[in-house]
Amino acid sequence: EIQLVESGGGLVQPGGSLRLSCTASGFAFGSINMNWVRQPPGKGLEWVAGIAPDGVRTWYMRSAEGRFTISRDNAKNTLYLELSDLRPQDTAMYYCALPGPGWPDRGLGTQVTVSS
């Protein structure tokens, strides 16, 4: 059974930082591209960042480039997302997810709220 458990969200002021984590089990984590996706209030899911199994190749949505950093530790079956220079429009539920249309294999999420 695939399990993904996100943590690290919270309330942060604009310009602040957070580090999200996702622990994975039930599949060959070290062999699969992994993603972070998010769902802003009242909107649909949007892809944020992805990382290849090698941990070297990474991809970001345009508004995340230079502010967010995705990484992974395959020995710990853990995915990370470092968020910096956060903006109110980054407020969303953040999920780690396996590849797939609509990202059906994702965790329950961790809430990030950016507000002064």
Side-chain angles (χ1 to χ4, degrees):
E1 178 187 3
I2 293 172
Q3 289 195 331
L4 298 163
V5 180
E6 301 92 341
S7 61
L11 173 64
V12 63
Q13 293 186 341
S17 300
L18 285 172
R19 188 193 199 201
L20 308 184
S21 299
C22 170
T23 56
S25 61
F27 63 100
F29 176 82
S31 301
I32 296 178
N33 286 1
M34 291 297 296
N35 300 282
W36 285 97
V37 301
R38 70 185 184 185
Q39 186 166 24
K43 298 184 179 180
L45 284 169
E46 61 183 12
W47 175 81
V48 176
I51 187 168
D54 62 14
V56 175
R57 291 170 291 159
T58 57
W59 309 274
Y60 298 93
M61 67 186 299
R62 181 167 293 184
S63 65
E65 289 179 354
R67 300 190 302 124
F68 296 179
T69 302
I70 189 171
S71 62
R72 66 193 298 163
D73 185 336
N74 290 340
K76 295 182 178 180
N77 279 11
T78 302
L79 181 71
Y80 302 100
L81 186 67
E82 301 266 3
L83 310 172
S84 63
D85 190 23
L86 283 161
R87 305 165 182 170
Q89 54 264 44
D90 295 317
T91 294
M93 186 71 79
Y94 284 72
Y95 303 90
C96 64
L98 274 68
W103 307 284
D105 294 310
R106 62 182 185 271
L108 295 179
T110 187
Q111 177 69 39
V112 172
T113 302
V114 185
S115 174
S116 55

